[in-house]
């Protein structure tokens, strides 16, 4: 009942928001909307981040379930996205970019000045969440170790170094938990391989810090995007999902690789940040 009531409230808010934007900006606003890509590995908290950004009257938010911009959770062709951007009434055009992590440099070329918010979450919680819905991670990793384009978007942009790492672990004994951890690794390592750790137009966010201190962290995110932040924007954010289940049974050598990557992310976070 609680979730049903929240959904009704959100739907009512979005109707009111569309009416307000139409009244303020008319069919099209003056000048192009600022663009922001919300990035990260699946199960890392991007839905929660998008939901909070959608609370702002200044944003036009495109979730991966939005058929206008996505087909089966993958972003439609860039011309379609550009057309949506041109029709955007709000000052800020916000779009989810999970299956497109490897395409972010090209997307930014089409949208000069675009910003990226990349959220990273501890792999234990991501793997636990992945295993609830899917049980084919080990087989996907074995296929990707042989052919980086054998699966789908998951292997696009994979470096030779990452594929070599997968080949070390892709034996018949690889478990789904370890396979999911390697999937977390191969998608998140793109952050560094694409030079985002040295890019001032990219903001790294820790999911754990975000839910533990939402007021401070969302104020930081909104400021990075140029949006005014109000404390009620993040009123529904809670930290109950952190460490809720026991750590999954990931092979120690796979865990070591994930820990090393996690350490690289940790070193980039503001003082007090944690993953």
């Amino acid at each position: 009942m609680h979730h049903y009531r929240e959904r009704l409230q959100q739907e009512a808010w979005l109707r009111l928001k569309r009416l307000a934007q139409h009244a303020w900006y008319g069919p099209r606003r003056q000048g192009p909307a600022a663009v922001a890509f919300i990035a990260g590995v699946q199960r890392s908290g991007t839905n929660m981040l998008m939901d909070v950004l959608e609370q702002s009257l200044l944003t036009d938010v495109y979730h991966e379930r939005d058929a206008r911009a996505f087909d089966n959770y993958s972003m439609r062709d860039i011309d379609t996205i550009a057309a949506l951007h041109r029709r955007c009434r709000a000052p800020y055009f916000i779009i989810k970019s999970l299956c497109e992590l490897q395409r972010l440099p090209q997307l930014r070329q089409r949208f000069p000045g675009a910003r990226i918010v990349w959220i990273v979450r501890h792999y234990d919680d991501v793997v636990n969440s992945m295993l609830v819905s899917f049980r084919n991670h080990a087989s996907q990793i074995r296929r990707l170790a042989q052919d980086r384009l054998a699966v789908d978007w998951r292997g696009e942009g994979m470096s030779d170094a990452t594929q070599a790492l997968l080949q070390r672990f892709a034996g018949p004994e690889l478990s789904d938990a370890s396979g999911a951890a390697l999937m977390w690794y191969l998608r998140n390592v793109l952050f560094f391989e694409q030079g985002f750790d040295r890019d001032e137009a990219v903001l790294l966010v820790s999911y754990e810090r975000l839910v533990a201190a939402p007021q401070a962290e969302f104020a930081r995110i909104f400021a990075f995007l140029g949006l005014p932040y109000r404390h009620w924007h993040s009123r529904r954010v809670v930290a109950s999902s952190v460490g809720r289940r026991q750590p999954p049974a990931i092979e120690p050598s796979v865990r070591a690789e994930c820990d090393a990557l996690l350490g690289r992310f940790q070193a980039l976070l503001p003082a007090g940040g944690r993953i």
Side-chain angles (χ1 to χ4, degrees), residues 44-45 48 119 121 205-215 217-218 234 236-242 274:
S44 293
M48 176 264 293
I119 184 168
R121 184 182 186 186
V205 174
S206 158
Y207 172 85
E208 288 75 13
R209 178 65 177 167
L210 189 59
V211 298
Q215 297 295 325
E217 284 298 289
F218 276 108
S234 58
R236 294 194 180 100
V237 175
V238 296
S240 57
S241 60
V242 176
R274 64 181 180 85

Side-chain angles (χ1 to χ4, degrees), residues 13 16-17 20-21 24-25 54-59 90-91 233:
W13 160 251
L16 176 63
K17 177 177 174 176
Q21 289 179 341
W24 290 346
Y25 305 120
E54 199 164 35
Q55 295 303 304
S56 171
L57 282 169
L58 303 179
T59 61
H233 286 151

Side-chain angles (χ1 to χ4, degrees), residues 17-231:
K17 177 177 174 176
R18 285 191 288 269
L19 288 171
Q21 289 179 341
H22 185 79
W24 290 346
Y25 305 120
R28 296 174 68 177
R29 59 173 273 98
Q30 295 299 313
V35 176
F37 297 103
I38 305 304
V41 174
Q42 283 75 3
R43 313 293 184 175
S44 293
T46 51
N47 282 338
M48 176 264 293
L49 176 52
M50 295 280 284
D51 287 344
V52 172
L53 289 168
E54 199 164 35
Q55 295 303 304
S56 171
L57 282 169
L58 303 179
T59 61
D60 190 8
V61 174
Y62 288 83
H63 299 267
E64 59 192 345
R65 60 182 180 269
D66 192 325
R68 295 172 298 171
F70 292 87
D71 179 19
N72 193 26
Y73 301 101
S74 290
M75 192 183 293
R76 294 188 182 277
D77 65 272
I78 198 165
D79 288 337
T80 297
I81 305 306
L84 291 171
H85 176 247
R86 286 194 300 272
R87 294 195 296 268
C88 178
R89 293 192 182 108
Y92 293 85
F93 180 88
I94 313 289
I95 188 165
K96 179 85 79 74
S97 311
L98 304 193
C99 303
E100 297 74 30
L101 298 180
Q102 70 284 352
R103 293 175 51 204
L104 286 170
Q106 290 73 37
L107 286 167
R108 284 206 298 177
Q109 287 180 0
R110 184 65 179 267
F111 300 99
R115 300 206 147 203
I116 297 170
V117 178
W118 187 299
I119 184 168
V120 62
R121 184 182 186 186
H122 195 287
Y123 60 87
D124 276 342
D125 283 339
V126 172
V127 169
N128 276 331
S129 184
M130 285 179 172
L131 293 176
V132 170
S133 302
F134 304 103
R135 290 284 176 175
N136 60 348
H137 305 288
S139 63
Q140 288 180 342
I141 291 297
R142 283 191 285 267
R143 291 169 65 193
L144 289 169
Q146 298 304 313
D147 179 358
R148 67 190 73 191
L149 299 181
V151 180
D152 50 21
W153 49 265
R154 291 170 177 82
E156 291 177 6
M158 186 198 306
S159 67
D160 291 342
T162 299
Q163 189 172 32
L165 184 145
L166 298 189
Q167 290 168 352
R168 286 170 42 204
F169 297 110
E173 72 286 351
L174 181 69
S175 68
D176 261 355
S178 294
L182 288 170
M183 198 68 73
W184 176 94
Y185 178 98
L186 77 90
R187 297 299 289 169
N188 265 314
V189 77
L190 290 168
F191 180 90
F192 295 96
E193 292 179 342
Q194 295 178 134
F196 291 160
D197 54 323
R198 305 181 302 276
D199 194 325
E200 292 184 353
V202 180
L203 182 71
L204 178 66
V205 174
S206 158
Y207 172 85
E208 288 75 13
R209 178 65 177 167
L210 189 59
V211 298
Q215 297 295 325
E217 284 298 289
F218 276 108
R220 185 170 75 97
I221 294 168
F222 274 58
F224 171 77
L225 296 176
L227 281 165
Y229 173 70
R230 303 291 181 265
H231 66 87

